[in-house]
Structure formats: structure tokens, C-alpha cells
């Protein structure tokens, strides 16, 4: 198979021919139909997150099951699936309490399958890891069955792929992590795929005012089309905070940070009124810190939440978000602004660095 391989963080990726072993017990082989280009991939590519190599990048994918390993009874050949980048062990205390996004026994963060190995290797036998154990920037991948979540075949592959990461991360941050109630006011800092998904989630939740903030006018336009009631072009911190407070009538009940920068984290906290909640969704480069003045934060009974993967239980939430899409309540397809081939990933990273496109998706895996 062909795949996008990163030999070492901070260096360009390359398209390689690799060997893929068949699925073993509890695993399935998936032929990829779509793979989104996520900022987490860029963090690794640019060396902001250190990861081992060689590794097949990509973690936002969907495809069709082509083979099932022994012991897999609830997945079948021909099923369309969205891939979860955090497969649960289903046995630890977090999983048993229904909090699979906090599973502490998964090998996903080691980029390995449950038995500690990888099914990918070079023709000389050298092992190649799969990013977060799914490595979706490839023609095919072998994943744990628990990471392959069946999605209705009527759902477009690009939509299913985005459900696998940015949509679940953003929509889930609103509906599950923060539990935004109907009638609340919401501000969203950063309008990439995750931030725009937060906007859509706020609309589903019934927020009466949704303020969207970004530096790129085209993303502000898209946010308004997706349901934002107000849009603000970000400038300096003081002016941006003032504009958000004015648009939200004194400050939003919930401020979501979907960029992953200390400056915007501090702004999300800075716009809060008394009793307001800041929800941190974006991931920063390793080692970065943000700060806020402690007294008014405590005195105003403000809250700060971290949201990982939208508090997802993939087997439950992926189909739920697919149904909301099919009902017209989550227009996920609007996020896909550029479709590319597998060989165009490096260019897609450059477009992302320049802030272009809500989401770029690999849909052409042909040589």
C-alpha cells in the first residue's frame, strides 16, 4: 500500500510503498475512502510534538472494512466505518465508568495496536508505526475493531472522516463536556474544523447567541452560514476581548478556545462574566503555558474546563453525530473546502500554516 510516512518530526513527509499485514485477533482491515488533514498532524510534522518514527500520519479517517480478524463478530466486510483515534481498552476504571476518552490502558498514544505491535512495515522488515494506531493517510490500515465505528452507508466518506476527529471534538465539547444549555451565549475563538464544529454544536444545543472569532474573513463568513449570530475579526487582545463582551452582552456564558495558543486561551478566560466557563479544546505545542489573574477568577466563580476528544464514547457518539448530519442539523459537509490526493499532503500542511481552508480532505488514494 501507499502511505504518508514521517521519518522524524520536523522533517518533510514522503509518500512510500509499505507492506501491510492482515488483521489479527480483534482487528479489522479498512480501505480508506477519506482522511482529513488535522492540525495535530501538523504539530507532529513541524516538530512541535515529538513522536517516534517512522510513522504513518493521519488520524481523521473513514473507509470500508475489507477483512476481519479472528474473534470479530460485530463488524463485517463491506461496512463503512469512521475511525476513532483513541480506541478504548473497555476494561479499565475509566472505561467501566463510561469515560472512554480517559482510558488509561489503551496503546493508541503509543501508536500501537493492543498487543504492542504494528501491522505496517517496510519491505526490509523495518516496523513503521501508525499515528494513534490508525494512520489514516494511507490506502489501507489495520485497526482494533473497537476503533472502527459503523456509520450509515448514506453518509459521505468525507463527512464520516470528520466525525472521527474534528466534529466529535468540537460538537462534543459543547454537548458533552460543557453541557451548554439552551438559551446560553457562546463565544468560539478559532474557526478551523474544530472551532466551526463548536459553532455547529452550539446551534444544536440551542444557544441564543454564538460569537465566532478568527483572523480570516472567509472563516468568519462560513461561521455565520453555520449559525453564528455574530462574527469578530480578531485584532489585538484588548480590542478582541472588548468586542466579544459587547457582542455577547457583557461576556459569554461559555467561551471555547479552539486554536491552542496561550494568547487565545487567555482571551477566552478574559471575556468571561461572573459565573462564566472557559472550555479549552485546542492543543498547544508542548511546554507552552497560559496565565490569568486568580482573584477575579475565583471571586467571580468562573470555571475552566479541558475537553479531550469531546468527551467521546465513539460507539455511541459517532452514530449520533451522523444522524444529526442526516437530519440536517449538523452540516458537516460544509467544512470540506478542499479535496486532495494522497500525494498533496505536504502542500496541504503549507495551506494550513497560512490559515486557509476549514478542512482539507484526502479523497483520492489512487496512484
Amino acid at each position: 500500500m501507499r502511505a504518508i510516512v514521517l521519518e522524524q518530526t520536523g522533517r518533510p513527509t514522503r509518500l512510500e510503498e509499505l507492506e501491510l499485514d492482515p488483521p489479527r485477533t480483534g482487528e479489522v482491515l479498512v480501505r480508506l475512502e477519506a482522511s482529513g488533514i488535522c492540525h495535530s498532524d501538523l504539530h507532529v510534522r513541524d516538530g512541535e510534538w515529538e513522536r517516534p518514527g517512522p510513522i504513518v500520519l493521519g488520524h481523521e479517517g473513514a473507509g470500508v472494512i475489507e477483512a476481519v480478524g479472528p474473534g470479530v463478530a460485530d463488524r463485517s466486510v463491506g461496512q463503512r466505518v469512521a475511525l476513532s483515534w483513541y480506541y478504548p481498552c473497555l476494561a479499565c476504571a475509566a472505561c467501566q465508568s463510561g469515560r472512554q476518552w480517559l482510558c488509561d490502558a489503551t496503546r493508541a498514544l503509543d501508536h500501537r495496536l493492543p498487543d504492542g505491535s504494528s501491522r505496517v512495515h517496510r519491505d526490509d522488515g523495518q516496523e513503521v508505526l501508525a499515528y494513534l494506531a490508525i494512520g489514516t493517510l494511507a490506502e489501507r490500515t489495520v485497526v482494533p475493531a473497537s476503533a472502527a465505528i459503523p456509520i450509515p452507508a448514506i453518509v459521505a466518506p468525507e463527512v464520516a472522516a470528520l466525525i472521527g476527529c474534528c466534529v466529535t471534538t468540537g460538537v462534543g465539547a459543547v454537548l458533552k463536556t460543557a453541557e451548554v444549555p439552551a438559551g446560553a451565549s457562546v463565544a468560539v475563538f478559532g474557526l478551523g474544523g474544530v472551532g466551526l464544529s463548536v459553532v455547529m454544536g452550539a446551534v444544536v444545543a440551542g444557544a441564543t447567541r454564538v460569537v465566532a472569532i478568527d483572523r480570516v474573513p472567509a472563516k468568519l463568513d462560513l461561521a455565520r452560514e453555520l449559525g453564528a449570530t455574530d462574527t469578530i475579526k480578531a485584532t489585538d487582545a484588548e480590542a478582541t476581548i472588548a468586542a466579544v463582551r459587547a457582542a455577547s452582552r457583557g461576556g459569554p456564558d461559555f467561551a471555547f478556545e479552539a486554536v491552542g495558543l496561550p494568547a487565545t486561551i487567555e482571551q477566552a478566560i478574559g471575556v468571561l462574566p461572573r459565573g462564566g466557563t472557559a472550555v479549552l479544546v485546542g492543543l498547544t505545542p508542548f511546554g507552552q503555558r497560559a496565565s490569568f489573574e486568580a482573584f477575579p477568577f475565583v471571586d467571580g466563580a468562573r470555571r475552566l474546563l479541558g475537553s479531550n476528544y469531546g468527551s467521546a464514547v465513539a460507539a455511541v457518539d459517532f452514530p449520533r453525530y451522523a444522524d444529526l448530519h442526516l437530519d440536517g442539523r449538523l452540516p458537516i459537509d460544509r467544512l470540506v473546502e478542499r479535496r486532495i490526493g494522497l500525494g498533496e499532503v505536504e502542500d496541504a500542511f503549507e495551506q494550513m500554516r497560512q490559515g486557509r481552508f476549514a478542512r482539507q480532505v484526502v479523497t483520492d488514494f489512487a496512484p
Side-chain angles (χ1 to χ4, degrees):
M1 68 166 188
R2 301 189 314 150
I4 296 297
V5 177
L6 183 69
E7 191 72 28
Q8 182 178 341
T9 54
R11 295 184 179 179
T13 60
R14 61 173 178 263
L15 186 59
E16 284 193 37
E17 292 277 352
L18 299 171
E19 300 296 323
L20 182 66
D21 295 333
R24 299 179 188 173
T25 300
E27 300 169 358
V28 298
L29 186 153
V30 176
R31 172 177 56 82
L32 273 302
E33 296 180 297
S35 180
I37 308 297
C38 180
H39 208 100
S40 294
D41 298 307
L42 184 62
H43 279 307
V44 177
R45 157 64 180 84
D46 286 352
E48 294 174 339
W49 295 355
E50 196 64 39
R51 293 289 186 264
I55 188 168
V56 176
L57 288 185
H59 63 283
E60 184 176 73
V64 174
I65 294 177
E66 285 195 332
V68 298
V72 177
D74 55 354
R75 303 289 188 273
S76 59
V77 172
Q79 277 186 315
R80 173 163 292 153
V81 292
L83 299 182
S84 169
W85 54 257
Y86 201 70
Y87 70 82
C89 76
L90 301 179
C92 69
C95 285
Q96 289 294 298
S97 66
R99 300 188 298 168
Q100 293 180 9
W101 65 94
L102 294 177
C103 174
D104 58 11
T106 180
R107 299 297 303 273
L109 299 182
D110 299 325
H111 318 289
R112 295 183 178 277
L113 295 167
D115 66 1
S117 66
S118 172
R119 299 290 161 267
V120 187
H121 57 89
R122 289 176 169 146
D123 57 11
D124 63 0
Q126 182 186 17
E127 182 182 64
V128 179
L129 300 177
Y131 189 50
L132 293 171
I134 60 175
T136 61
L137 288 172
E139 292 176 315
R140 287 171 173 80
T141 185
V142 170
V143 304
S146 63
I149 310 302
I151 294 289
I154 194 174
V155 175
E158 303 97 303
V159 170
L162 269 55
I163 288 173
C165 185
C166 73
V167 169
T168 293
T169 299
V171 174
V174 176
L175 301 182
K176 299 193 69 181
T177 306
E179 298 181 316
V180 171
S185 58
V186 169
V188 186
F189 289 82
L191 300 175
V194 172
L196 289 166
S197 295
V198 172
V199 170
M200 292 191 295
V203 173
V204 170
T208 54
R209 188 161 297 278
V210 182
V211 183
I213 307 102
D214 202 284
R215 294 185 179 275
V216 180
K219 291 183 176 181
L220 296 172
D221 293 340
L222 180 54
R224 188 173 286 277
E225 293 171 14
L226 293 174
T229 58
D230 301 84
T231 56
I232 294 170
K233 188 176 186 300
T235 54
D236 64 89
E238 185 176 342
T240 299
I241 288 173
V244 173
R245 284 176 174 165
S248 55
R249 309 297 191 265
D253 298 314
F254 296 86
F256 292 82
E257 199 280 345
V259 184
L261 293 174
T264 42
I265 290 171
E266 291 170 2
Q267 289 173 39
I269 295 171
V271 300
L272 295 179
R274 294 175 65 84
T277 300
V279 186
L280 306 189
V281 186
L283 293 169
T284 67
F286 290 167
Q288 293 194 351
R289 294 175 177 270
S291 63
F292 57 89
E293 187 179 354
F295 182 86
F297 191 89
V298 177
D299 186 59
R302 294 165 173 87
R303 296 192 304 159
L304 181 62
L305 298 176
S307 180
N308 179 37
Y309 208 0
S311 302
V313 177
V316 174
D317 294 320
F318 284 14
R320 176 190 182 196
Y321 300 147
D323 287 344
L324 285 171
H325 169 72
L326 293 174
D327 288 344
R329 299 183 65 195
L330 278 181
I332 299 169
D333 53 302
R334 297 297 308 280
L335 302 181
V336 182
E337 294 192 313
R338 187 187 183 211
R339 293 168 173 81
I340 62 174
L342 191 58
E344 300 175 88
V345 169
E346 275 296 315
D347 178 69
F349 284 146
E350 180 56 32
Q351 300 300 320
M352 184 176 289
R353 292 185 193 100
Q354 297 181 31
R356 296 173 180 164
F357 305 112
R359 216 42 158 203
Q360 302 172 85
V361 182
V362 174
T363 55
D364 182 3
F365 293 85

